[in-house]
């Protein structure tokens, strides 16, 4: 199987652009990044599918290695549907953000900043606790030792 190096280079460029756009703070660029990433993954699956062959319809006189593998095509169709659903969801988020704040940027949450700057040590929660080695006590609250009843 020979790999088309042009498809791999284009896939790498699309993945890099998609990751760059997803890491931006505006939701519109995140949406564009998701779409570009979806197309890059589709191209990667197509490239990994191998060479083109005959249509995957049974013909008795054709050997099995002459057929094209239908699995990458099915995976690409599934990826297209998933990308479409994520795109629709992000469009709804962008619309809601725009209608509430007239901006599509993601702002820092003050509560998240306060929590991230707080100390992780809690005196009450992290204090040493006396170890209890028994689960069984008698009527007066004394621990029952082995062999005693």
């Amino acid at each position: 199987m020979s790999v088309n190096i042009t498809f791999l280079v284009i896939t790498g460029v699309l993945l890099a652009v998609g990751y760059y756009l997803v890491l931006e703070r505006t939701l519109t660029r995140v949406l564009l990044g998701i779409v570009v990433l979806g197309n890059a993954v589709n191209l990667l699956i197509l490239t990994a599918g191998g060479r083109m062959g005959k249509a995957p319809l049974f013909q008795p006189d054709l050997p099995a290695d002459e057929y094209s593998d239908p699995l990458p095509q099915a995976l690409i169709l599934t990826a297209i549907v998933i990308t479409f659903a994520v795109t629709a969801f992000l469009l709804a988020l962008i619309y809601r953000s725009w209608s509430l704040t007239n901006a599509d940027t993601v702002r820092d949450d003050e509560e998240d900043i306060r929590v991230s700057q707080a100390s992780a040590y809690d005196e009450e929660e992290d204090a040493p606790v006396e170890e209890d080695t028994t689960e069984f006590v008698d009527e007066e609250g004394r621990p029952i030792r082995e062999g005693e009843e």
Side-chain angles (χ1 to χ4, degrees), residues 26 37 55 77 80 94 138 148:
T26 60
L37 279 175
L77 285 175
I80 289 171
I94 292 169
D138 61 4
E148 294 180 7

Side-chain angles (χ1 to χ4, degrees), residues 117-128:
Q117 292 173 349
S119 173
Y121 178 76
D122 183 12
E123 186 174 338
E124 182 179 335
E125 188 175 306
D126 296 333

